[in-house]
Structures are given as structure tokens and as C-alpha cells.
Amino acid sequence: MLLHSETKVEAYSDTSLRNSDQYILLISLLSALAIVLQIIESMIFPPQVIWFRIGLANCISIIAIYLVGLSGALYVVITRTILASIFLGTFLSPPFVISFLSGIASVISMGIAKNVFKNFFSPIGISIIGALSHNLTQIAVVVMMLGFSLELIRYLLPILMIGSLLAGFITGYVAKNVIIRIG
Amino acid sequence: MENVQNVPTQSKLFAKGDLLLIAIILITAFGFGFHIFSSNVGNGFKPFPTAVEIYLSNKLIKVLPLTQEGYYKMKYNNISFSVQIKSGKVRMQESNCPRKVCVHQGWIEHSGESIICVPNKVVIKIVGRERTLSVPKKDEVDAITF
């Protein structure tokens, strides 16, 4: 694999290694995986029919945070949202704006949660934080687009919170096993 | 592998923080969502009671609560009509317009429904939360699917 047993997983947090080939290769590999996962997921759960997704691409964001750090994960998520929306044909449309902003917000909150509370959270907890902040940003963007409505918050927020718990658990469980095996 | 930091071990499914986080999210979600389960109790959940709005040539001239039963006669210049409210329904009881389409329309009861009298430029409109949402009536079907 890319990561040899001698290589430190956290080595890419040092700024000196940011320009190494392995770092760039890892980011592009993770981006490609995330794009494929997002396209496959939009085929399994077509967004026109099912408005709830488990966010398989979020899995890659968690793995990226553990492998290449917060800034690398930001590269991955920006590449993923832009390229996947171009492939799906939703570039610069409201779903793209929502997924772009909430993807960035979820990666930033996951990175902060991981860097501040070192071992307090396992990848499952970090994934739940990411899913929750993704959903909250989604609501915030929708409120900015369509205007505030109390009904939206009252009925959607509890459902989305429980949903993000489930989705975060699934993606976090997958990400945890991947990180254990390749880390 | 010992010098690698923050990589989880396989032994436990959850770390301490995960359980705390899950507990906090569950408590907050059920706290926010409490009204979903308790919305059938009483009418306190309504944002404002259902009301009847009466417009005359695009101007709101009267707002009546749908619970207040009775006849309301109104006269403006050469326009006169009377509105009857009874058991949560409203109708145009009489009107001095030529064809009396508004009178023949009968009772309306759901939020969003309206009676429109074109010659007199009178609009009677029901606004507010649907009454059947909080107090379901018997022998009434919400929807039928096949």
C-alpha cells in the first residue's frame, strides 16, 4: 500500500512534508474515491426521490482527516463536491451550494474535534459530529435561501439530528475499520 | 506502529466521548421533537386560532375568529352582505349581488378556502392552521391511496 509500516500516519501534519509526492498522491486518490462514492450513492438514493442519504462520501472525509490532516481533508472535500457535481450535472445549482458549504463545515468541525479532543472521540464520534454539522449547515443554507420558517425547524431538526446519528454511526464504523487496517 | 498517534484500537466500539455525544444528541433531539408526539393534546400548539378574513375591494375590513358563531351584517355604500359563522364553518348568507354565486357556494371550513363575490368585490377567506390537524373529526378520511 501507499503507507509503509515505517511511515507515520500523522507525518503529513508537518508543513515540510506537504509538497511530497505521496501527500499529493494520497489527496488525489482520496478525492477520486470520494467522487465515485458520491456518484454511486446518488444512484442508489436518487435525490429527487429520497431526501435522506447516509453520506458515504463523508467516510472518505474522515479517513482523509486521519491520513492527511485537516487541510488535506479540505482539499479532498472541495475537489469532491465540485467534480462530483460537474459529473452529476448539478454544478452551481442549489443542491451543489448546499453540499459544498455543508461539506466544508463538516470537515472543519471534524478536524477541530479531532485536533482539540485528541483521543476523546473515536472515528465514530467524529463522524457523528461531521454528520450533525453537515445537517445543521444544510438547514442554515436552506433558511438563507428560502427564508426562516418555524415549522421547518420544529419538525425537521429532531428528525435530522436522529438521522445524522444513524448516518454518522454507519460512516464512522466503516471509516474506523479502514483506518485500523491501513493506518 | 506505537509512535502513531490518535489511531483507534479495535478493542472497543465507542470511546468515552462518543457515548457522551450520542447521549447529548438524543436528549436534544427528543427535547426538540417533544411537540411532535404531544401535538394532539389541547389547542395550545396553534400559532394563532383559525380566523375568517373579509376583504372588500382588496382591503381587509374585518377579521372574525371561526369559533365566534353568529350573523354579521355589513353595509358599505351600495354593497350589503351578511356572513354566517356556525360550528367552525362560514358561508355568505345573503348578498345584494345579481347572480348570488357566492351565496350558492355554501359553507367553507378549511384553511385556504375562500368565497369570492365578483360584482361586490368581496372576498371571504379562512386563514390559520387547519382545524382538523389538531382536533381530528370522526368519519372523515384524510387521504386515500391505492
Side-chain angles (χ1 to χ4, degrees), chain B:
Chain B
M1 285 304 291
E2 280 76 25
N3 51 8
V4 175
Q5 286 184 341
N6 294 340
V7 167
T9 50
Q10 210 169 5
S11 57
K12 277 189 207 164
L13 184 61
F14 291 117
K16 255 187 233 166
D18 297 353
L19 295 173
L20 192 68
L21 186 75
I22 290 169
I24 289 172
I25 290 175
L26 277 180
I27 289 168
T28 329
F30 280 114
F32 268 113
F34 182 69
H35 65 91
I36 294 177
F37 311 109
S38 64
S39 62
N40 283 335
V41 184
N43 289 341
F45 176 57
K46 291 181 178 180
F48 50 87
T50 319
V52 179
E53 286 180 351
I54 299 170
Y55 294 84
L56 180 65
S57 52
N58 273 338
K59 266 178 246 158
L60 184 63
I61 55 168
K62 194 133 184 124
V63 180
L64 298 164
L66 206 47
T67 50
Q68 194 175 324
E69 298 193 353
Y71 302 94
Y72 300 91
K73 282 202 166 106
M74 283 167 218
K75 212 166 158 117
Y76 295 91
N77 300 329
N78 54 356
I79 293 169
S80 76
F81 58 95
S82 94
V83 174
Q84 187 189 2
I85 298 177
K86 196 186 172 189
S87 60
K89 298 178 185 178
V90 60
R91 70 164 175 172
M92 183 80 94
Q93 201 205 1
E94 58 177 276
S95 170
N96 68 340
C97 54
R99 292 185 63 185
K100 308 269 192 285
V101 173
C102 47
V103 177
H104 292 140
Q105 190 177 344
W107 299 96
I108 59 170
E109 56 179 323
H110 296 294
S111 179
E113 279 187 317
S114 56
I115 296 173
I116 298 167
C117 182
V118 178
N120 284 350
K121 295 185 182 169
V122 173
V123 176
I124 299 170
K125 201 156 106 180
I126 296 182
V127 292
R129 178 178 286 278
E130 186 65 40
R131 197 169 60 96
T132 51
L133 206 151
S134 53
V135 187
K137 285 193 288 185
K138 282 182 181 174
D139 303 329
E140 195 170 293
V141 181
D142 282 339
I144 298 172
T145 61
F146 293 100

Side-chain angles (χ1 to χ4, degrees), chain A residues 10 66 114 118-125 128-129 132 151 154-155 158 161-162 165 169 173 176 180 183, chain B residues 1 4-6 8-10 12-18 21-22 25-26 28-29 32-33 35-36 45 129:
Chain A
E10 288 290 296
Y66 275 85
K114 192 207 158 232
K118 301 287 175 194
N119 274 327
F120 192 57
F121 295 120
S122 74
I124 296 175
I128 291 171
I129 289 174
L132 191 66
E151 300 289 298
R154 286 173 79 107
Y155 284 96
M161 281 175 91
I162 302 225
L165 207 62
F169 176 75
Y173 187 75
K176 183 183 177 181
I180 288 168
Chain B
M1 285 304 291
V4 175
Q5 286 184 341
N6 294 340
T9 50
Q10 210 169 5
K12 277 189 207 164
L13 184 61
F14 291 117
K16 255 187 233 166
D18 297 353
L21 186 75
I22 290 169
I25 290 175
L26 277 180
T28 329
F32 268 113
H35 65 91
I36 294 177
F45 176 57
R129 178 178 286 278

Side-chain angles (χ1 to χ4, degrees), chain A residues 1-10 12 26 63 66-67 175-183, chain B residues 1-9:
Chain A
M1 276 301 291
L2 281 169
L3 296 168
H4 307 296
S5 56
E6 289 82 18
T7 319
K8 277 189 186 179
V9 172
E10 288 290 296
Y12 299 104
L26 209 52
I63 297 167
Y66 275 85
L67 293 189
K176 183 183 177 181
N177 283 297
V178 172
I179 291 163
I180 288 168
R181 276 163 180 77
I182 68 174
Chain B
M1 285 304 291
E2 280 76 25
N3 51 8
V4 175
Q5 286 184 341
N6 294 340
V7 167
T9 50

Side-chain angles (χ1 to χ4, degrees), chain A residues 30-110:
Chain A
L30 288 169
S31 306
L33 273 173
I35 290 164
V36 169
L37 275 181
Q38 185 163 356
I39 290 171
I40 286 175
E41 198 186 22
S42 74
M43 287 170 177
I44 300 173
F45 305 98
Q48 295 84 6
V49 184
I50 304 165
W51 54 273
F52 184 77
R53 293 189 294 148
I54 52 172
L56 285 175
N58 196 35
C59 229
I60 303 294
S61 303
I62 304 154
I63 297 167
I65 280 175
Y66 275 85
L67 293 189
V68 289
L70 175 56
S71 56
L74 271 176
Y75 283 126
V76 170
V77 77
I78 289 170
T79 318
R80 186 255 291 181
T81 45
I82 291 176
L83 283 182
S85 71
I86 287 173
F87 293 150
L88 291 171
T90 58
F91 187 54
L92 293 182
S93 66
F96 163 73
V97 176
I98 292 171
S99 80
F100 185 71
L101 292 178
S102 42
I104 289 175
S106 80
V107 163
I108 288 175
S109 58
M110 284 195 288

